[in-house]
Amino acid sequence: MAPSFDNLTEDRGSGSEEELDFSDLRQNYDVRMEEGLDAFVVIDGLPKVPQESKQKLIRFLLKKLNSVGKTKEDAIFMPMGGDRISEGFAFVEYATPQQAVEATKKLHGTKLDKSHTLAVNKLTDIDRYGREGRVDDEYHPPHLDDFKEREHLRWWLADPNCRDQYVMFQGDFVGVYWNKKRDNPEKILDRMAWTEKFVQWSPM
C-alpha cells in the first residue's frame, strides 16, 4: 500500500541548497540591480582600428582603465561599424559606481597616445542629458556676433617717437600729455570735470 501524503518524509537528496557553492556563478553572472548603470562609463576619443586590431587596443586601454579601478576585457564593449572598423568609443563596466566616478575624474582629458585624448563620462550622465533634451540630434552652429573693431587700449605704445604719456589733475581739469624732454609737453586731451578726487592709469 502506497504511503499517504501525510506520512511522506522530506528528502533533500545527497545535499541541501545551503551546502552548494554558487560563489563562482554569482561572481560571473550576478546582476547588480541596486547599482543599475552607475558602474558604466563611456570612453570617447579612441583610435579607429580594424577588427583584427580590436583586442590589442582593448588590452592596451585596459592598463589605463585599471589604474583607477577594476575592470576586465569582457567588461569593455567596443562597437564596430559596417566596414569592420571601430567607431572610436567604448562602454566600460567597473566593479563599483565609485570606481566609475574616479575614472571620470582622473582619466578624462588624459592622453592615450600622441594622437588621441580620452573623454570619459558616466553612462548615466549621457543618458540623462539626452533624455532631458539637452543634446540635439541635429547640429546647429553657434551664433557669432559680427566683429566690431574697438579702440586699441595701448595705442600709445605705437608712438613713432617712443614718448611717454603723463596725466595732470589741476582744479577741475584733467589733461593727458606727451612728454618731451627739451620742449613743452604736447597736449593729447584736456577734459573738465573728468573726476572729483584723483586719476590713476588703468593696468590695461
Side-chain angles (χ1 to χ4, degrees):
M1 182 177 178
S4 68
F5 179 80
D6 294 335
N7 296 328
L8 289 177
T9 59
E10 185 178 3
D11 184 11
R12 292 180 176 272
S14 57
S16 65
E17 183 177 349
E18 289 78 4
E19 296 174 350
L20 298 178
D21 184 11
F22 295 104
S23 60
D24 57 335
L25 295 177
R26 290 194 181 97
Q27 180 179 357
N28 293 326
Y29 303 106
D30 190 26
V31 178
R32 301 190 295 272
M33 297 300 294
E34 71 281 0
E35 296 176 2
L37 300 176
D38 289 338
F40 286 82
V41 298
V42 181
I43 311 289
D44 207 347
L46 297 174
K48 295 183 178 182
V49 298
Q51 180 70 40
E52 54 269 20
S53 301
K54 176 181 175 180
Q55 286 305 120
K56 181 180 179 181
L57 174 59
I58 289 178
R59 287 192 292 268
F60 180 71
L61 177 63
L62 192 62
K63 296 178 181 179
K64 185 172 287 289
L65 296 176
N66 279 331
S67 66
V68 297
K70 185 177 181 181
T71 185
K72 48 189 177 180
E73 283 191 35
D74 57 4
I76 302 175
F77 174 67
M78 189 176 295
M80 306 296 290
D83 53 359
R84 296 176 60 83
I85 300 295
S86 65
E87 298 284 358
F89 65 92
F91 300 95
V92 180
E93 182 182 11
Y94 274 98
T96 65
Q98 292 75 18
Q99 293 178 8
V101 172
E102 197 70 10
T104 61
K105 291 180 178 179
K106 295 187 176 180
L107 296 183
H108 183 72
T110 61
K111 290 281 189 180
L112 181 66
D113 55 28
K114 293 182 179 179
S115 305
H116 298 87
T117 302
L118 299 181
V120 185
N121 295 280
K122 291 188 63 178
L123 181 60
T124 50
D125 288 345
I126 295 176
D127 180 60
R128 183 174 71 252
Y129 297 149
R131 184 171 60 249
E132 295 179 358
R134 300 182 183 179
V135 179
D136 197 336
D137 293 335
E138 183 179 353
Y139 172 73
H140 300 283
H143 172 72
L144 299 177
D145 295 330
D146 295 335
F147 174 73
K148 295 180 180 179
E149 188 172 357
R150 299 180 180 179
E151 180 185 359
H152 193 339
L153 297 179
R154 296 188 177 182
W155 59 269
W156 52 273
L157 291 176
D159 178 52
N161 297 320
C162 302
R163 295 171 296 177
D164 290 328
Q165 290 182 5
Y166 68 92
V167 61
M168 290 183 61
F169 181 22
Q170 183 177 9
D172 294 332
F173 289 88
V174 175
V176 180
Y177 302 87
W178 287 117
N179 180 34
K180 294 185 175 181
K181 291 183 178 180
R182 297 181 176 85
D183 300 324
N184 293 330
E186 178 183 341
K187 182 172 66 177
I188 301 173
L189 59 88
D190 194 4
R191 185 178 299 182
M192 183 178 180
W194 202 354
T195 183
E196 295 180 353
K197 294 184 178 180
F198 67 94
V199 292
Q200 183 177 357
W201 291 116
S202 167
M204 293 298 295

